[in-house]
Amino acid sequence: MENMPYRVELELQTLQAPIGEVTRGEVTSTDWQNGLPVLGGTQVTLRELRASDAPSLFALLTTEEVTRFISPPPTTVEGFEKFIAWTIRQRTAGTYVCFAVTPKGYDTAIGIFQIRETEPGFGTAEWGFAIGSPFWGTGVFQESADLVLEFAFETVGVHRLEARSAVRNGRGNGALRKLGAVQEGLLRKSFLRNGEYLDQVLYAIVEDDWRFSREMARPIHAPRIH
Ligand SMILES: CC(C)(COP(=O)(O)OP(=O)(O)OC[C@H]1O[C@@H](n2cnc3c(N)ncnc32)[C@H](O)[C@@H]1OP(=O)(O)O)[C@@H](O)C(=O)NCCC(=O)NCCS
């Protein structure tokens, strides 16, 4: 494993100052190509990446356990700064978005969600995500994913959202399944990682299924009896 320039625990103790509160589901802008909206949950706030996110993302997303089954992230803080600048250019071009995940009430990026179009106009798209391991199993992923799915289907106009996950990536597969992603295929030896071609599972969530499961999850209000 790479030597970390500073310890993740210290980073987490020095979370940056709280930012303005955003209520659940509130979208403060809808013109995402000019700037991503802030997506507010109860545990997390998702917002556009900034150059100042580079140090925390470098600390949290370059560990062996996070990177084992994903494309190698930048290897330096400067590399993350360049990546962040690239994400803004791609968003402006309308082909890609990347949200920073921040714990509610703080402004430190602890993970990212990326969505890229796979056909012009963003009708079909692919997403990927990574969260710092201290936040695994905390509900941060689930809530962030719900916000990103709503953004993709409601704001961007995606109708089919694909994901690929290495067969060996137990957490990645478990995370996608619990969101309702459907396994559609096995992509044999499709992903080169550490000199080895890995098999991947192809998942998709289609807009109709997402809408249906969201309706099913809504609390049913009993009719009032007078
Ligand atoms: C993928 C990731 C964002 C998910 O976040 P997370 O907080 O770990 O996800 P959660 O704990 O909410 O959900 C994972 C689910 O998989 C389950 N799981 C864990 N290990 C598993 C395994 N080996 N096999 C099957 N399921 C597994 C968990 O129990 C959990 O389900 P549950 O909430 O019903 O118990 C995070 O693990 C991560 O960043 N991983 C590294 C990067 C990565 O692999 N990205 C995904 C590429 S597809």
Side-chain angles (χ1 to χ4, degrees), residues 61 65-70 112-113 127-133 135-142 163-166 168-178 203:
L61 302 188
E65 57 190 343
V66 170
T67 60
R68 193 175 301 154
F69 299 116
I70 60 175
I112 58 171
F113 277 72
W127 68 329
F129 31 76
I131 305 272
S133 58
F135 295 89
W136 290 4
T138 61
V140 158
F141 167 74
Q142 173 87 56
R164 292 163 187 233
S165 176
R168 288 187 211 157
N169 185 356
R171 282 205 96 83
N173 288 292
L176 282 159
R177 278 196 213 107
K178 77 178 189 183
Y203 290 95

Short mmCIF file of all heavy atoms in Angstrom, two decimals, residues 61 65-70 112-113 127-133 135-142 163-166 168-178 203, ligand 1:
data_model
loop_
_atom_site.label_atom_id
_atom_site.label_comp_id
_atom_site.label_asym_id
_atom_site.label_seq_id
_atom_site.Cartn_x
_atom_site.Cartn_y
_atom_site.Cartn_z
N LEU A 61 -9.52 7.99 -0.97
CA LEU A 61 -9.84 7.16 -2.14
C LEU A 61 -8.63 6.48 -2.78
O LEU A 61 -8.77 5.88 -3.85
CB LEU A 61 -10.60 7.98 -3.19
CG LEU A 61 -11.90 8.63 -2.73
CD1 LEU A 61 -12.64 9.25 -3.91
CD2 LEU A 61 -12.81 7.65 -1.99
N GLU A 65 -7.94 -0.90 -0.14
CA GLU A 65 -9.29 -1.50 -0.08
C GLU A 65 -10.28 -0.77 -0.98
O GLU A 65 -11.19 -1.39 -1.54
CB GLU A 65 -9.80 -1.61 1.36
CG GLU A 65 -9.85 -0.31 2.11
CD GLU A 65 -10.14 -0.49 3.60
OE1 GLU A 65 -10.61 -1.56 4.00
OE2 GLU A 65 -9.88 0.47 4.35
N VAL A 66 -10.10 0.56 -1.14
CA VAL A 66 -11.01 1.31 -2.01
C VAL A 66 -10.70 1.03 -3.49
O VAL A 66 -11.59 0.89 -4.31
CB VAL A 66 -10.95 2.82 -1.70
CG1 VAL A 66 -11.70 3.63 -2.76
CG2 VAL A 66 -11.53 3.12 -0.32
N THR A 67 -9.41 0.96 -3.82
CA THR A 67 -9.02 0.93 -5.24
C THR A 67 -8.93 -0.47 -5.83
O THR A 67 -8.73 -0.59 -7.04
CB THR A 67 -7.65 1.61 -5.43
OG1 THR A 67 -6.68 0.89 -4.65
CG2 THR A 67 -7.68 3.06 -5.00
N ARG A 68 -9.08 -1.49 -5.00
CA ARG A 68 -8.83 -2.87 -5.44
C ARG A 68 -9.53 -3.22 -6.75
O ARG A 68 -8.95 -3.87 -7.60
CB ARG A 68 -9.28 -3.81 -4.32
CG ARG A 68 -8.81 -5.23 -4.46
CD ARG A 68 -9.21 -6.03 -3.25
NE ARG A 68 -8.65 -5.47 -2.02
CZ ARG A 68 -9.18 -5.62 -0.80
NH1 ARG A 68 -10.29 -6.32 -0.64
NH2 ARG A 68 -8.61 -5.09 0.25
N PHE A 69 -10.77 -2.78 -6.90
CA PHE A 69 -11.57 -3.22 -8.06
C PHE A 69 -12.02 -2.07 -8.95
O PHE A 69 -12.97 -2.22 -9.71
CB PHE A 69 -12.81 -3.98 -7.57
CG PHE A 69 -12.47 -5.21 -6.79
CD1 PHE A 69 -12.83 -5.32 -5.46
CD2 PHE A 69 -11.78 -6.27 -7.38
CE1 PHE A 69 -12.53 -6.45 -4.72
CE2 PHE A 69 -11.46 -7.41 -6.65
CZ PHE A 69 -11.84 -7.50 -5.31
N ILE A 70 -11.38 -0.89 -8.82
CA ILE A 70 -11.80 0.23 -9.67
C ILE A 70 -10.60 0.75 -10.45
O ILE A 70 -9.46 0.41 -10.15
CB ILE A 70 -12.45 1.37 -8.84
CG1 ILE A 70 -11.47 1.93 -7.81
CG2 ILE A 70 -13.73 0.89 -8.18
CD1 ILE A 70 -12.01 3.15 -7.05
N ILE A 112 -17.06 10.15 -4.01
CA ILE A 112 -17.56 10.75 -5.25
C ILE A 112 -18.56 9.81 -5.94
O ILE A 112 -18.49 8.58 -5.78
CB ILE A 112 -16.41 11.07 -6.26
CG1 ILE A 112 -15.60 9.82 -6.61
CG2 ILE A 112 -15.53 12.18 -5.74
CD1 ILE A 112 -14.60 10.03 -7.75
N PHE A 113 -19.46 10.41 -6.69
CA PHE A 113 -20.36 9.70 -7.60
C PHE A 113 -20.18 10.30 -8.98
O PHE A 113 -20.32 11.52 -9.13
CB PHE A 113 -21.83 9.86 -7.17
CG PHE A 113 -22.26 8.91 -6.10
CD1 PHE A 113 -21.80 9.06 -4.80
CD2 PHE A 113 -23.11 7.85 -6.39
CE1 PHE A 113 -22.20 8.17 -3.81
CE2 PHE A 113 -23.51 6.95 -5.41
CZ PHE A 113 -23.04 7.11 -4.11
N TRP A 127 -22.77 4.88 -14.35
CA TRP A 127 -22.31 5.56 -13.14
C TRP A 127 -21.31 4.71 -12.39
O TRP A 127 -21.19 3.50 -12.61
CB TRP A 127 -23.49 6.00 -12.26
CG TRP A 127 -24.31 4.93 -11.60
CD1 TRP A 127 -24.56 3.67 -12.06
CD2 TRP A 127 -25.02 5.05 -10.35
NE1 TRP A 127 -25.38 3.01 -11.19
CE2 TRP A 127 -25.68 3.82 -10.14
CE3 TRP A 127 -25.16 6.06 -9.42
CZ2 TRP A 127 -26.47 3.59 -9.01
CZ3 TRP A 127 -25.94 5.83 -8.30
CH2 TRP A 127 -26.58 4.61 -8.10
N GLY A 128 -20.59 5.39 -11.52
CA GLY A 128 -19.60 4.73 -10.66
C GLY A 128 -19.45 5.54 -9.39
O GLY A 128 -19.81 6.73 -9.36
N PHE A 129 -18.96 4.90 -8.34
CA PHE A 129 -18.89 5.60 -7.06
C PHE A 129 -17.79 5.01 -6.20
O PHE A 129 -17.39 3.86 -6.35
CB PHE A 129 -20.23 5.52 -6.31
CG PHE A 129 -21.00 4.25 -6.60
CD1 PHE A 129 -20.62 3.05 -6.04
CD2 PHE A 129 -22.06 4.26 -7.48
CE1 PHE A 129 -21.30 1.88 -6.33
CE2 PHE A 129 -22.76 3.09 -7.78
CZ PHE A 129 -22.37 1.89 -7.20
N ALA A 130 -17.29 5.84 -5.32
CA ALA A 130 -16.30 5.38 -4.32
C ALA A 130 -16.46 6.25 -3.08
O ALA A 130 -16.61 7.47 -3.17
CB ALA A 130 -14.89 5.50 -4.87
N ILE A 131 -16.45 5.58 -1.93
CA ILE A 131 -16.59 6.27 -0.63
C ILE A 131 -15.41 5.84 0.23
O ILE A 131 -15.00 4.67 0.20
CB ILE A 131 -17.90 5.82 0.07
CG1 ILE A 131 -19.14 6.02 -0.82
CG2 ILE A 131 -18.06 6.46 1.45
CD1 ILE A 131 -19.82 7.34 -0.75
N GLY A 132 -14.88 6.77 1.00
CA GLY A 132 -13.79 6.42 1.92
C GLY A 132 -14.22 5.31 2.87
O GLY A 132 -15.35 5.34 3.39
N SER A 133 -13.34 4.34 3.10
CA SER A 133 -13.75 3.14 3.85
C SER A 133 -14.23 3.41 5.28
O SER A 133 -15.05 2.64 5.79
CB SER A 133 -12.65 2.09 3.82
OG SER A 133 -11.47 2.61 4.36
N PHE A 135 -16.42 5.25 6.09
CA PHE A 135 -17.85 5.53 5.97
C PHE A 135 -18.63 4.36 5.38
O PHE A 135 -19.83 4.48 5.16
CB PHE A 135 -18.06 6.80 5.14
CG PHE A 135 -17.49 8.03 5.80
CD1 PHE A 135 -16.17 8.40 5.57
CD2 PHE A 135 -18.24 8.78 6.68
CE1 PHE A 135 -15.63 9.51 6.20
CE2 PHE A 135 -17.71 9.88 7.31
CZ PHE A 135 -16.39 10.25 7.08
N TRP A 136 -17.97 3.25 5.11
CA TRP A 136 -18.67 2.09 4.57
C TRP A 136 -19.64 1.54 5.63
O TRP A 136 -19.33 1.51 6.83
CB TRP A 136 -17.69 0.98 4.19
CG TRP A 136 -16.84 1.30 2.99
CD1 TRP A 136 -16.80 2.48 2.29
CD2 TRP A 136 -15.87 0.44 2.37
NE1 TRP A 136 -15.88 2.38 1.27
CE2 TRP A 136 -15.30 1.16 1.30
CE3 TRP A 136 -15.43 -0.86 2.61
CZ2 TRP A 136 -14.31 0.60 0.47
CZ3 TRP A 136 -14.45 -1.41 1.80
CH2 TRP A 136 -13.90 -0.68 0.74
N GLY A 137 -20.77 1.08 5.15
CA GLY A 137 -21.74 0.46 6.04
C GLY A 137 -22.44 1.43 6.97
O GLY A 137 -23.11 1.00 7.91
N THR A 138 -22.34 2.74 6.70
CA THR A 138 -22.93 3.74 7.61
C THR A 138 -24.26 4.29 7.09
O THR A 138 -24.91 5.08 7.78
CB THR A 138 -21.99 4.95 7.79
OG1 THR A 138 -21.80 5.56 6.49
CG2 THR A 138 -20.64 4.55 8.36
N GLY A 139 -24.61 3.93 5.86
CA GLY A 139 -25.82 4.52 5.26
C GLY A 139 -25.51 5.70 4.35
O GLY A 139 -26.38 6.16 3.61
N VAL A 140 -24.26 6.18 4.43
CA VAL A 140 -23.84 7.31 3.57
C VAL A 140 -24.00 6.93 2.09
O VAL A 140 -24.50 7.72 1.28
CB VAL A 140 -22.38 7.72 3.90
CG1 VAL A 140 -21.73 8.45 2.74
CG2 VAL A 140 -22.35 8.56 5.16
N PHE A 141 -23.59 5.73 1.74
CA PHE A 141 -23.68 5.30 0.35
C PHE A 141 -25.14 5.28 -0.11
O PHE A 141 -25.49 5.84 -1.15
CB PHE A 141 -23.05 3.92 0.12
CG PHE A 141 -23.43 3.36 -1.22
CD1 PHE A 141 -22.87 3.87 -2.37
CD2 PHE A 141 -24.41 2.38 -1.33
CE1 PHE A 141 -23.26 3.40 -3.63
CE2 PHE A 141 -24.80 1.91 -2.58
CZ PHE A 141 -24.23 2.42 -3.73
N GLN A 142 -25.99 4.60 0.66
CA GLN A 142 -27.39 4.43 0.25
C GLN A 142 -28.06 5.78 0.03
O GLN A 142 -28.73 6.01 -0.98
CB GLN A 142 -28.15 3.62 1.30
CG GLN A 142 -29.64 3.53 1.07
CD GLN A 142 -30.05 2.37 0.17
OE1 GLN A 142 -29.71 1.22 0.46
NE2 GLN A 142 -30.77 2.67 -0.90
N ALA A 163 -24.13 0.12 -14.70
CA ALA A 163 -22.94 0.07 -13.84
C ALA A 163 -22.22 -1.24 -14.12
O ALA A 163 -22.86 -2.24 -14.47
CB ALA A 163 -23.33 0.15 -12.37
N ARG A 164 -20.93 -1.21 -13.97
CA ARG A 164 -20.14 -2.42 -14.10
C ARG A 164 -19.40 -2.63 -12.79
O ARG A 164 -18.86 -1.68 -12.23
CB ARG A 164 -19.09 -2.28 -15.21
CG ARG A 164 -19.69 -2.19 -16.57
CD ARG A 164 -18.68 -1.64 -17.56
NE ARG A 164 -19.37 -1.42 -18.82
CZ ARG A 164 -18.95 -1.90 -19.98
NH1 ARG A 164 -17.83 -2.59 -20.08
NH2 ARG A 164 -19.63 -1.67 -21.08
N SER A 165 -19.39 -3.85 -12.34
CA SER A 165 -18.70 -4.14 -11.08
C SER A 165 -17.95 -5.45 -11.23
O SER A 165 -18.51 -6.44 -11.73
CB SER A 165 -19.73 -4.25 -9.96
OG SER A 165 -19.11 -4.63 -8.76
N ALA A 166 -16.69 -5.47 -10.83
CA ALA A 166 -15.91 -6.71 -10.90
C ALA A 166 -16.64 -7.79 -10.11
O ALA A 166 -17.16 -7.52 -9.01
CB ALA A 166 -14.51 -6.49 -10.34
N ARG A 168 -15.57 -10.06 -8.38
CA ARG A 168 -14.96 -10.26 -7.05
C ARG A 168 -15.26 -9.13 -6.07
O ARG A 168 -14.89 -9.22 -4.89
CB ARG A 168 -13.43 -10.35 -7.19
CG ARG A 168 -12.97 -11.63 -7.81
CD ARG A 168 -11.43 -11.65 -7.71
NE ARG A 168 -10.85 -12.38 -8.82
CZ ARG A 168 -9.60 -12.21 -9.24
NH1 ARG A 168 -8.81 -11.33 -8.66
NH2 ARG A 168 -9.13 -12.92 -10.23
N ASN A 169 -15.85 -8.04 -6.56
CA ASN A 169 -16.09 -6.87 -5.69
C ASN A 169 -17.40 -7.07 -4.92
O ASN A 169 -18.47 -6.56 -5.28
CB ASN A 169 -16.15 -5.60 -6.56
CG ASN A 169 -16.27 -4.33 -5.74
OD1 ASN A 169 -16.38 -4.40 -4.50
ND2 ASN A 169 -16.22 -3.20 -6.39
N GLY A 170 -17.32 -7.81 -3.83
CA GLY A 170 -18.51 -8.15 -3.05
C GLY A 170 -19.30 -6.94 -2.61
O GLY A 170 -20.52 -6.88 -2.78
N ARG A 171 -18.64 -5.94 -2.07
CA ARG A 171 -19.35 -4.74 -1.58
C ARG A 171 -19.98 -3.99 -2.73
O ARG A 171 -21.11 -3.50 -2.63
CB ARG A 171 -18.40 -3.78 -0.85
CG ARG A 171 -18.06 -4.17 0.55
CD ARG A 171 -17.66 -2.95 1.37
NE ARG A 171 -18.79 -2.44 2.13
CZ ARG A 171 -19.19 -2.92 3.29
NH1 ARG A 171 -18.54 -3.90 3.86
NH2 ARG A 171 -20.24 -2.41 3.90
N GLY A 172 -19.22 -3.86 -3.85
CA GLY A 172 -19.75 -3.13 -5.01
C GLY A 172 -21.01 -3.81 -5.53
O GLY A 172 -22.02 -3.15 -5.82
N ASN A 173 -20.98 -5.13 -5.64
CA ASN A 173 -22.16 -5.87 -6.12
C ASN A 173 -23.31 -5.77 -5.12
O ASN A 173 -24.46 -5.57 -5.51
CB ASN A 173 -21.79 -7.34 -6.37
CG ASN A 173 -20.92 -7.48 -7.61
OD1 ASN A 173 -21.37 -7.26 -8.71
ND2 ASN A 173 -19.65 -7.82 -7.41
N GLY A 174 -23.00 -5.91 -3.83
CA GLY A 174 -24.04 -5.82 -2.81
C GLY A 174 -24.69 -4.44 -2.82
O GLY A 174 -25.91 -4.31 -2.70
N ALA A 175 -23.85 -3.42 -2.99
CA ALA A 175 -24.36 -2.04 -2.99
C ALA A 175 -25.31 -1.83 -4.17
O ALA A 175 -26.39 -1.26 -4.01
CB ALA A 175 -23.19 -1.06 -3.06
N LEU A 176 -24.93 -2.30 -5.34
CA LEU A 176 -25.78 -2.11 -6.52
C LEU A 176 -27.08 -2.90 -6.40
O LEU A 176 -28.15 -2.39 -6.72
CB LEU A 176 -25.02 -2.53 -7.78
CG LEU A 176 -24.01 -1.47 -8.25
CD1 LEU A 176 -22.94 -2.08 -9.13
CD2 LEU A 176 -24.73 -0.34 -8.98
N ARG A 177 -26.98 -4.12 -5.92
CA ARG A 177 -28.19 -4.95 -5.80
C ARG A 177 -29.20 -4.32 -4.87
O ARG A 177 -30.40 -4.33 -5.12
CB ARG A 177 -27.82 -6.36 -5.32
CG ARG A 177 -27.35 -7.22 -6.46
CD ARG A 177 -27.35 -8.69 -6.08
NE ARG A 177 -26.26 -9.34 -6.76
CZ ARG A 177 -25.15 -9.75 -6.20
NH1 ARG A 177 -24.97 -9.64 -4.90
NH2 ARG A 177 -24.20 -10.29 -6.93
N LYS A 178 -28.70 -3.77 -3.76
CA LYS A 178 -29.69 -3.24 -2.81
C LYS A 178 -30.35 -1.96 -3.32
O LYS A 178 -31.38 -1.56 -2.79
CB LYS A 178 -29.10 -3.09 -1.41
CG LYS A 178 -28.22 -1.92 -1.17
CD LYS A 178 -27.77 -1.92 0.28
CE LYS A 178 -27.06 -0.63 0.61
NZ LYS A 178 -26.55 -0.60 1.96
N TYR A 203 -24.80 -4.23 -14.69
CA TYR A 203 -26.08 -3.94 -14.03
C TYR A 203 -26.75 -2.78 -14.74
O TYR A 203 -26.08 -1.93 -15.33
CB TYR A 203 -25.85 -3.48 -12.58
CG TYR A 203 -25.37 -4.54 -11.64
CD1 TYR A 203 -24.01 -4.70 -11.38
CD2 TYR A 203 -26.27 -5.36 -10.97
CE1 TYR A 203 -23.57 -5.67 -10.49
CE2 TYR A 203 -25.84 -6.32 -10.08
CZ TYR A 203 -24.48 -6.47 -9.85
OH TYR A 203 -24.05 -7.42 -8.96
C1 LIG B 1 -19.15 0.52 -3.31
C2 LIG B 1 -19.23 1.41 -2.07
C3 LIG B 1 -19.40 2.86 -2.51
C4 LIG B 1 -20.47 0.99 -1.30
O1 LIG B 1 -20.53 1.70 -0.08
P1 LIG B 1 -20.75 0.87 1.28
O2 LIG B 1 -20.98 1.83 2.38
O3 LIG B 1 -19.67 -0.11 1.41
O4 LIG B 1 -22.11 0.13 0.90
P2 LIG B 1 -23.18 -0.44 1.90
O5 LIG B 1 -22.52 -0.99 3.12
O6 LIG B 1 -24.26 0.56 2.08
O7 LIG B 1 -23.76 -1.61 1.00
C5 LIG B 1 -23.00 -2.71 0.61
C6 LIG B 1 -23.85 -3.94 0.73
O8 LIG B 1 -23.09 -5.07 0.27
C7 LIG B 1 -23.08 -6.04 1.27
N1 LIG B 1 -21.80 -6.74 1.17
C8 LIG B 1 -20.66 -6.47 1.80
N2 LIG B 1 -19.71 -7.36 1.46
C9 LIG B 1 -20.29 -8.21 0.58
C10 LIG B 1 -19.85 -9.35 -0.11
N3 LIG B 1 -18.59 -9.78 0.02
N4 LIG B 1 -20.70 -9.97 -0.93
C11 LIG B 1 -21.97 -9.55 -1.06
N5 LIG B 1 -22.48 -8.45 -0.41
C12 LIG B 1 -21.63 -7.80 0.40
C13 LIG B 1 -23.24 -5.30 2.58
O9 LIG B 1 -23.73 -6.15 3.59
C14 LIG B 1 -24.23 -4.21 2.18
O10 LIG B 1 -25.56 -4.68 2.15
P3 LIG B 1 -26.56 -4.40 3.41
O11 LIG B 1 -26.56 -2.91 3.65
O12 LIG B 1 -27.88 -4.92 2.92
O13 LIG B 1 -25.98 -5.15 4.56
C15 LIG B 1 -17.96 1.29 -1.19
O14 LIG B 1 -17.86 -0.01 -0.68
C16 LIG B 1 -16.70 1.63 -1.96
O15 LIG B 1 -16.37 2.78 -2.13
N6 LIG B 1 -15.97 0.61 -2.45
C17 LIG B 1 -14.74 0.82 -3.18
C18 LIG B 1 -14.98 1.40 -4.57
C19 LIG B 1 -15.89 0.50 -5.37
O16 LIG B 1 -15.74 -0.71 -5.36
N7 LIG B 1 -16.83 1.13 -6.08
C20 LIG B 1 -17.91 0.40 -6.77
C21 LIG B 1 -17.55 -0.01 -8.10
S1 LIG B 1 -18.94 -0.88 -8.81
#
